[in-house]
């Protein structure tokens, strides 16, 4: 395995407020890498900077060897990013939305195949707004796969979902990894990070406070006197 993402001394300031305070980490090809932390920790900011959607203040980032400052357009080609739900034109059904996106990416995609992968075949003719919370998340994850990315970014994909829908989504994310895709996911659920991630960076107020496999992190926490439920 080798790093597919490298982040060095990443800093993001919003005015005088430092939301990301010198983060450094790397993500190995093929792993599910988690950013775990409470609301406001800087997870989305970090993710969106790597996705080329937000300006950094300083630091260096490479994605698959491409430098963010000089080769952002190369990076965009190999990553899958979840759209905000406002991007889903209300008048179109799921099949039509997939056709639209595959046209935008200039990729041949069989909508039913993609919908089957996320278990939404019977919703092929439904509109996005008619889906349940879990179905919406599954659809939005499906759309990240349309450009056949090497890396998929998921920002709190299970927040607000019931336990059953969360489990479904975990299986889906594992399935994406099994196809060789690297996954970066943010979450504020320890159990999710523990179940899903190969390695986890715990972020608090813009800094990484620990980075390890879930097993090692749990051992460290227990050694510090935390109790397992
Ligand atoms: P997380 O995703 O971990 O909840 P965010 O990256 O969204 O955290 O936010 C990190 C911090 O930066 C928070 O304190 C948040 O209020 C602040 N922040 C995020 N976006 C902006 C923005 N556009 N302008 C000013 N402050 C922001
Ligand atoms: Mg966030």
């Amino acid at each position: 395995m080798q790093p597919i993402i490298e982040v060095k001394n990443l800093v993001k300031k919003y005015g005088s407020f430092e939301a990301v305070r010198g983060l450094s980490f790397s993500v190995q090809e093929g792993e599910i890498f988690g950013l775990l932390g409470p609301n406001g920790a800087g997870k989305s900011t970090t993710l969106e900077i790597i996705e080329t959607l937000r300006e950094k203040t300083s630091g260096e980032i490479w994605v698959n060897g491409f430098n963010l400052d000089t080769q952002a357009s190369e990076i965009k080609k190999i990553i899958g990013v979840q759209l905000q739900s406002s991007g889903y034109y209300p008048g179109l059904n799921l099949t039509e939305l997939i056709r639209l996106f595959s046209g935008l990416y200039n990729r041949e995609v069989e909508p039913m195949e993609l919908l089957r992968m996320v278990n939404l075949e019977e919703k092929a003719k439904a509109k996005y707004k008619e889906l349940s919370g879990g179905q919406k998340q599954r659809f939005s994850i499906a759309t990240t796969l349309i450009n056949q990315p090497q890396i998929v970014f998921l920002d709190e994909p299970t927040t607000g979902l019931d336990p059953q829908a969360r489990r479904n989504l975990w299986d889906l994310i594992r399935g994406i990894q099994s196809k060789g895709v690297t996954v970066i996911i943010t979450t504020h659920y320890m159990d999710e990070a523990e179940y899903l991630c190969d390695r986890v960076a715990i972020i608090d107020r813009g800094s990484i406070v620990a980075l390890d496999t879930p097993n090692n992190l749990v051992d460290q926490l227990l050694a510090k006197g935390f109790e397992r439920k």
Side-chain angles (χ1 to χ4, degrees):
M1 291 217 296
Q2 51 176 338
I4 193 161
I5 295 176
E6 284 193 80
V7 174
K8 290 208 172 131
N9 292 317
L10 178 65
V11 172
K12 175 63 179 184
K13 290 184 185 165
Y14 295 110
S16 60
F17 173 67
E18 207 171 26
V20 175
R21 307 180 179 202
L23 289 196
S24 297
F25 61 92
S26 55
V27 177
Q28 304 296 312
E29 188 164 6
E31 75 177 338
I32 300 179
F33 186 89
L35 296 174
L36 172 68
N39 280 332
K43 304 180 298 292
S44 297
T45 299
T46 301
L47 218 63
E48 288 173 17
I49 290 170
I50 303 169
E51 291 168 345
T52 78
L53 299 178
R54 205 177 275 247
E55 294 273 333
K56 60 183 164 58
T57 302
S58 62
E60 287 190 279
I61 294 174
W62 291 265
V63 179
N64 202 32
F66 299 120
N67 187 287
L68 183 85
D69 294 319
T70 55
Q71 297 171 294
S73 60
E74 297 301 319
I75 294 176
K76 282 180 192 154
K77 284 180 203 159
I78 58 159
I79 64 173
V81 173
Q82 279 183 293
L83 293 180
Q84 304 300 314
S85 55
S86 56
Y88 299 128
Y89 299 83
L92 302 183
N93 67 37
L94 302 192
T95 307
E96 291 163 339
L97 283 169
I98 292 171
R99 290 227 171 85
L100 172 71
F101 294 133
S102 59
L104 292 174
Y105 287 124
N106 200 16
R107 297 271 185 169
E108 287 284 330
V109 175
E110 183 45 61
M112 279 320 268
E113 211 172 286
L114 198 61
L115 290 173
R116 193 175 311 123
M117 189 180 159
V118 297
N119 213 359
L120 285 174
E121 275 169 296
E122 75 271 30
K123 295 289 173 187
K125 300 288 173 224
K127 302 201 166 114
Y128 178 79
K129 61 169 190 247
E130 296 162 356
L131 303 178
S132 72
Q135 290 167 340
K136 279 182 177 150
Q137 281 297 349
R138 295 211 300 279
F139 180 71
S140 100
I141 291 173
T143 64
T144 69
L145 301 173
I146 290 173
N147 63 333
Q148 295 154 10
Q150 281 175 257
I151 310 166
V152 165
F153 294 81
L154 303 173
D155 196 356
E156 297 203 11
T158 70
T159 295
L161 299 185
D162 61 66
Q164 177 66 38
R166 290 177 72 208
R167 292 243 153 224
N168 285 341
L169 224 59
W170 292 349
D171 290 341
L172 170 61
I173 295 166
R174 281 266 177 87
I176 292 170
Q177 177 190 34
S178 73
K179 293 185 161 60
V181 177
T182 305
V183 179
I184 301 199
I185 178 172
T186 72
T187 180
H188 53 244
Y189 301 117
M190 182 61 201
D191 65 328
E192 177 160 285
E194 190 178 355
Y195 178 83
L196 201 54
C197 297
D198 295 298
R199 290 188 310 136
V200 179
I202 300 181
I203 302 195
D204 191 25
R205 278 171 277 172
S207 299
I208 292 181
V209 295
L211 195 170
D212 213 323
T213 62
N215 273 340
N216 288 346
L217 286 175
V218 169
D219 287 349
Q220 286 166 29
L221 288 174
L222 293 176
K224 283 183 191 159
F226 281 87
E227 283 177 29
R228 191 182 257 293
K229 271 186 242 166

